[in-house]
Amino acid sequence: MRLKPLIAVAAATATLLSMGACGNSSSSSSSDSNGKVTLTMWHNSTTGDGKAYYEGVAKAFEKKYPNVTIKIQAIQDEDFKGKIQTALQDPNSAPDIFFQRGGQEMQNMVDADQLMDLTDVISSDVKTSVGSAIDAGTIGDKVYAIPFTVTPGGMWYSKDLFKKAGIDKTPTTMAELKTDITKLKDAGIAPVALGAKDAWPAAHWWYWSALRECSTDTFNAAMKSKKFDDACWNRAGKDVQSIQKLGAFNDGYLTTSAQQGANSSAGLLANHKAAMELMGAWEPGVVKDLTADKKDMSDLGYFQFPAVDGGEGDAKALMGGADSFSVYKTAPKKEAGEFLNFLMTKENQEAWVKAFSAPPANKDAQSTVTGEALKEALNAYNTSSSYSMWLDTLFGTNVGNALNASVVNMLAGKGTPADITKAATDAAAKG
Amino acid sequence: MEMSVAGKDAGKATSGRRQKKKLVPDKWRKGFEITVLSAPAIIIFLAFVILPVVMAAYYGFFQWKGYGSPSVNGKFAGFQNYITILQDPQFQQAVWHNGFVVVMSLVVQGPLAIIFALLINVKMKGRALIRTLIFVPYVVSEVIVGTGWSLLLQSKGAVNDLLSKIGLKGADWIADPKIAIWTLLFVISWKYLGFAVILMLAGMQSIPEELYEAARVDGASFWQQQWKITLPLLGPTIRLWAFLSIIGSLQLFDLVYIIWGQYVSATAGTSTMATYMVLEGRGAGNYGYGSAVAVILFIISLVIAMVYQKFVLNRDLEGAITDEKSEKKRARKEAKAAAKAAKAEQAEGSAVAARSAQ
């Protein structure tokens, strides 16, 4: 009698296995005997011009290479990381070409042997055109991702609101910034928009303060060792605290998201409900979608994160991201390479700038950048003394998320500056 | 479990009528039928419930980033993940928040639901409309409820605006750590009260009208009727609702995730075990660690469910399950009761005898 359930289980397992076997027959990329190749591509631009740009490029590529079909899938950025990670676990579900941010996550993909070495796939023309930005996609001496945009961060502000508060010059030091914040408050304007619900926008304040507080050597050493013993890290936390104590951030910033809707921090800036926001160079594009008429914000300006009084860091050091495309290891090498090189041509990068209002990685296409704010950000990038990746990208989500959440905690009054670096150390124990 | 029970019954049945010798014994044939017929259900259960649990338990022993396989790209950590979780103040807080929601949901929703159900159960105009209205929040999806309330309750939202119009000063309902958990409780109650009311209402309608008639004849007041008839006979419904409520509270995720987001929920004091799991597992890319959290959440839910079934739901399930064990147990119980009765009778008898002897 007792055997019955066992038999049932055995039968069930057998069926399951056979079901699993069925699943193996499909494949994401395929090439048949006629030399026809299908490439799948995942990117994170789900709306408007950005989505149309990729569809247009794919069509143009298919016209030039009739044997290749490109299947595009646009995935919401918030979902992207989880989806790509799951998809990469199985060669059958992995897209051939996909968006990625580099840093520790790319290192993890390389460790798991999921990425194609693109060193000899990317043409030398493309390599020259992006210059040092390719470092973001390079591990050791191998290129695993080709950056298509660089997004240096900084302060994006409304010139009108600054004028209204009687500020005629953008601040270059923390003291000046604080004065301006007070002026804005006195004029009844929320000085700084902050989307702390998403955590990373709040953490950016700490990253930048640390970049200005810590000497380049200390900063770079900590990037490798993930140890934050130097006193400058605590000073960075105190800097952020002092800004918060001025009442600089918009009301309810803890439950404000970064980019979703008019109530988000980018929306507040777009609609002149707050005077400035600390963000990456995607800001003009994001703000554009959130203005009432969906047109560029006409009075948008940019200035670099101010120098910290008594800080050891370089005032011209810059931080930002570099968004790239990687190729799955078993993808059709020749065709995938051709497509990447096609994406990176001057012509297509210029089209990219038009669609995204953000800086391209191809330096030849930089001249198409319009908008004063973006031009200034690009100028800051070209003249920066060093370019660090966002700390959460650099450290990977484990330590990065812990850092971000602990900055939020500090802003809510539930933690101290010292807790931020402690959180990073604690997080290391979880992964 | 049920399979073996059925098989046993089948065995009994066949032994009763073994007239002809068949090529395939009835016993086998029935067993085969049962296997084939229950296979789809068992397969789905195994594939989507048991297998993930087993896999999570396996992953939970590794420090693994979710790339490649845990044995190659991860590091075997034994019980270290579990130790780290249980020592993490963030997790302890999340457990505390879950416990708060479990208890307070029962305390708040239970009495309210019964009162609402009583009121709606009385015949009156617009009863159907009120019923629908009370049930609407339950039908609306969690995401919409969460988004709606988070917009209303923002520091510059509609609720505070309304309050200021009548001269009251609102609070930061969502972000203030002292208030946030009560806000959460309010939204949960608002959302799930309708479900409780409908359950109670269904329970009340299965109570025979004759009982109330008899009570009225005996001169019982309305409240006496409810207290002496409705409540006791509603027992099984209440116990079942409480069970569903407890399990739901333990797994609470979507409302918190929508209103607070995964990062701020811990800061605002509304994190739950499930949001902790998503934050530390998928969010942080620590798939091994996250799996270990899932296992702990599973064990906590399982233990509470088992204990509740054993001690509370037990009497409602009696008679529903007729396996050998409980049958034997009942027989023993009955025998005991009989023996007790006999003893009492005997004692009484001897007392009577003693009395008569006096």
Side-chain angles (χ1 to χ4, degrees):
Chain A
M1 282 306 149
R2 275 210 201 108
L3 274 178
K4 287 264 166 54
L6 279 183
I7 294 168
V9 168
T13 317
T15 320
L16 254 187
L17 289 176
S18 63
M19 271 158 67
C22 292
N24 276 339
S25 55
S26 65
S27 171
S28 68
S29 70
S30 58
S31 52
D32 59 21
S33 51
N34 302 330
K36 290 237 185 252
V37 176
T38 305
L39 288 175
T40 49
M41 178 201 187
W42 286 14
H43 65 79
N44 67 339
S45 311
T46 47
T47 52
D49 297 342
K51 195 174 175 210
Y53 161 78
Y54 282 113
E55 278 158 9
V57 168
K59 249 187 215 132
F61 183 79
E62 282 169 357
K63 212 168 170 189
K64 197 173 169 197
Y65 299 87
N67 65 321
V68 183
T69 315
I70 296 187
K71 271 205 239 161
I72 292 185
Q73 205 175 337
I75 291 163
Q76 191 77 30
D77 188 57
E78 289 82 10
D79 298 337
F80 198 90
K81 192 189 155 279
K83 280 207 171 151
I84 191 69
Q85 188 165 10
T86 312
L88 289 178
Q89 287 298 88
D90 183 351
N92 298 306
S93 60
D96 297 313
I97 298 167
F98 56 93
F99 167 87
Q100 91 148 299
R101 291 216 159 82
Q104 182 62 42
E105 295 304 310
M106 185 171 89
Q107 177 75 55
N108 290 342
M109 291 175 191
V110 171
D111 289 343
D113 191 22
Q114 291 170 336
L115 298 186
M116 183 185 282
D117 176 4
L118 300 175
T119 316
D120 52 352
V121 173
I122 303 297
S123 73
S124 54
D125 285 354
V126 170
K127 277 181 192 158
T128 322
S129 73
V130 298
S132 61
I134 204 153
D135 293 349
T138 311
I139 293 176
D141 54 354
K142 287 181 178 165
V143 179
Y144 287 102
I146 179 77
F148 58 90
T149 176
V150 283
T151 50
M155 205 72 83
W156 307 83
Y157 72 104
S158 155
K159 289 180 177 171
D160 291 354
L161 289 182
F162 266 50
K163 219 175 273 166
K164 211 168 144 195
I167 304 163
D168 42 15
K169 197 176 132 285
T170 52
T172 53
T173 65
M174 201 58 131
E176 285 176 25
L177 178 67
K178 284 178 184 167
T179 319
D180 291 348
I181 285 172
T182 319
K183 276 186 190 166
L184 284 162
K185 265 190 85 89
D186 291 345
I189 301 163
V192 181
L194 180 64
K197 185 182 182 183
D198 291 334
W200 56 264
H204 277 194
W205 276 89
W206 186 78
Y207 299 168
W208 281 101
S209 301
L211 189 66
R212 297 284 184 259
E213 283 284 5
C214 299
S215 71
T216 313
D217 289 344
T218 313
F219 193 86
N220 289 342
M223 294 308 104
K224 290 215 174 70
S225 66
K226 296 182 190 174
K227 286 200 177 85
F228 306 92
D229 305 327
D230 200 279
C232 66
W233 301 102
N234 268 342
R235 288 208 303 274
K238 283 183 186 141
D239 290 339
V240 180
Q241 252 180 344
S242 69
I243 296 277
Q244 182 229 353
K245 283 196 180 125
L246 283 178
F249 302 126
N250 60 287
D251 277 349
Y253 60 91
L254 278 178
T255 46
T256 304
S257 64
Q259 300 177 348
Q260 293 157 320
N263 276 327
S264 65
S265 55
L268 291 175
L269 180 65
N271 298 300
H272 293 102
K273 297 254 172 71
M276 60 184 133
E277 186 180 20
L278 183 60
M279 267 292 147
W282 55 80
E283 185 77 346
V286 173
V287 165
K288 182 183 169 186
D289 281 343
L290 294 169
T291 52
D293 52 4
K294 307 240 164 192
K295 286 195 180 130
D296 286 320
M297 187 177 154
S298 54
D299 66 323
L300 187 69
Y302 168 91
F303 61 89
Q304 289 201 46
F305 194 84
V308 171
D309 319 292
E312 298 154 29
D314 193 328
K316 296 202 101 179
L318 216 56
M319 193 180 326
D323 292 348
S324 321
F325 278 113
S326 278
V327 177
Y328 188 71
K329 62 171 176 182
T330 59
K333 192 168 187 170
K334 186 169 153 278
E335 286 78 7
E338 275 162 355
F339 185 58
L340 285 186
N341 287 326
F342 186 73
L343 276 177
M344 293 304 296
T345 57
K346 180 167 179 273
E347 192 189 6
N348 281 324
Q349 279 267 285
E350 281 172 356
W352 189 89
V353 173
K354 283 203 188 91
F356 287 87
S357 317
N362 185 331
K363 283 182 177 164
D364 305 333
Q366 281 182 358
S367 56
T368 31
V369 166
T370 53
E372 215 176 301
L374 205 55
K375 276 184 186 161
E376 272 180 50
L378 207 50
N379 184 41
Y381 171 71
N382 289 332
T383 57
S384 61
S385 60
S386 69
Y387 188 71
S388 163
M389 213 178 273
W390 305 121
L391 296 196
D392 49 357
T393 310
L394 194 74
F395 289 141
T397 43
N398 177 23
V399 174
N401 273 9
L403 273 180
N404 295 355
S406 60
V407 174
V408 174
N409 238 356
M410 185 188 77
L411 290 180
K414 286 184 91 178
T416 63
D419 288 339
I420 297 174
T421 48
K422 187 176 170 290
T425 321
D426 288 350
K430 292 172 185 171
Chain B
M1 208 56 202
E2 276 153 83
M3 277 258 320
S4 70
V5 173
K8 203 164 291 157
D9 287 349
K12 267 183 207 157
T14 40
S15 59
R17 49 176 174 85
R18 188 176 290 152
Q19 298 133 337
K20 281 183 223 163
K21 252 199 172 177
K22 284 183 186 166
L23 216 65
V24 182
D26 261 4
K27 222 163 77 180
W28 288 27
R29 189 178 55 80
K30 285 220 164 155
F32 177 73
E33 270 174 19
I34 287 162
T35 309
V36 167
L37 291 178
S38 57
I42 290 178
I43 288 169
I44 288 173
F45 185 70
L46 283 176
F48 295 105
V49 179
I50 300 302
L51 186 68
V53 170
V54 173
M55 294 300 277
Y58 169 69
Y59 294 150
F61 288 120
F62 289 88
Q63 287 199 337
W64 178 50
K65 291 279 176 205
Y67 292 99
S69 77
S71 51
V72 179
N73 301 98
K75 200 174 83 197
F76 184 76
F79 283 95
Q80 190 51 49
N81 280 342
Y82 292 91
I83 296 168
T84 314
I85 293 166
L86 295 175
Q87 286 175 343
D88 188 354
Q90 298 284 355
F91 181 72
Q92 293 160 4
Q93 279 171 25
V95 173
W96 165 247
H97 299 150
N98 269 118
F100 177 86
V101 172
V102 166
V103 173
M104 291 307 286
S105 287
L106 293 179
V107 173
V108 172
Q109 288 176 42
L112 272 181
I114 293 171
I115 290 170
F116 271 125
L118 277 177
L119 293 179
I120 299 174
N121 206 19
V122 178
K123 279 202 179 89
M124 57 176 165
K125 255 189 191 161
R127 188 163 75 155
L129 182 72
I130 296 176
R131 244 186 237 185
T132 315
L133 285 181
I134 282 191
F135 201 56
V136 160
Y138 181 69
V139 182
V140 178
S141 98
E142 264 96 349
V143 177
I144 292 170
V145 169
T147 313
W149 278 112
S150 70
L151 288 174
L152 287 173
L153 289 168
Q154 268 171 10
S155 55
K156 282 195 171 168
V159 170
N160 280 352
D161 206 36
L162 222 69
L163 285 175
S164 73
K165 282 218 170 93
I166 56 168
L168 290 171
K169 204 184 165 295
D172 199 346
W173 304 108
I174 298 175
D176 189 339
K178 287 190 202 88
I179 308 176
I181 188 119
W182 295 98
T183 308
L184 174 64
L185 190 70
F186 166 76
V187 177
I188 290 174
S189 304
W190 179 85
K191 169 121 178 63
Y192 294 103
L193 190 61
F195 177 64
V197 169
I198 291 290
L199 268 186
M200 301 295 177
L201 210 53
M204 282 176 190
Q205 274 161 4
S206 67
I207 301 172
E209 187 58 29
E210 292 82 9
L211 293 175
Y212 294 105
E213 263 169 40
R216 271 200 293 277
V217 168
D218 287 345
S221 73
F222 174 80
W223 290 112
Q224 272 177 324
Q225 288 173 37
Q226 308 314 330
W227 189 250
K228 297 264 159 93
I229 300 172
T230 312
L231 266 189
L233 289 179
L234 208 53
T237 314
I238 296 175
R239 286 191 288 272
L240 182 73
W241 162 76
F243 183 65
L244 296 175
S245 173
I246 290 171
I247 294 298
S249 303
L250 283 175
Q251 299 178 339
L252 181 64
F253 172 74
D254 21 24
L255 277 176
V256 177
Y257 192 79
I258 297 293
I259 300 180
W260 282 273
Q262 49 179 335
Y263 301 110
V264 181
S265 57
T267 305
T270 54
S271 57
T272 67
M273 291 186 281
T275 60
Y276 178 86
M277 173 178 79
V278 171
L279 175 63
E280 298 290 350
R282 194 181 156 179
N286 295 329
Y287 283 72
Y289 188 82
S291 297
V293 179
V295 170
I296 292 182
L297 178 54
F298 171 74
I299 291 173
I300 290 177
S301 300
L302 187 74
V303 167
I304 290 180
M306 298 286 250
V307 168
Y308 193 86
Q309 284 214 331
K310 175 112 179 105
F311 292 104
V312 184
L313 276 185
N314 192 21
R315 41 183 150 169
D316 300 329
L317 294 175
E318 211 157 78
I321 298 173
T322 48
D323 60 329
E324 211 173 350
K325 237 190 199 164
S326 67
E327 228 167 74
K328 263 188 195 157
K329 210 165 140 196
R330 193 170 319 140
R332 225 179 304 137
K333 234 189 202 167
E334 270 164 24
K336 233 186 200 170
K340 217 177 176 184
K343 225 181 195 174
E345 221 167 84
Q346 216 178 1
E348 209 176 312
S350 55
V352 171
R355 220 177 301 139
S356 61
Q358 269 180 352

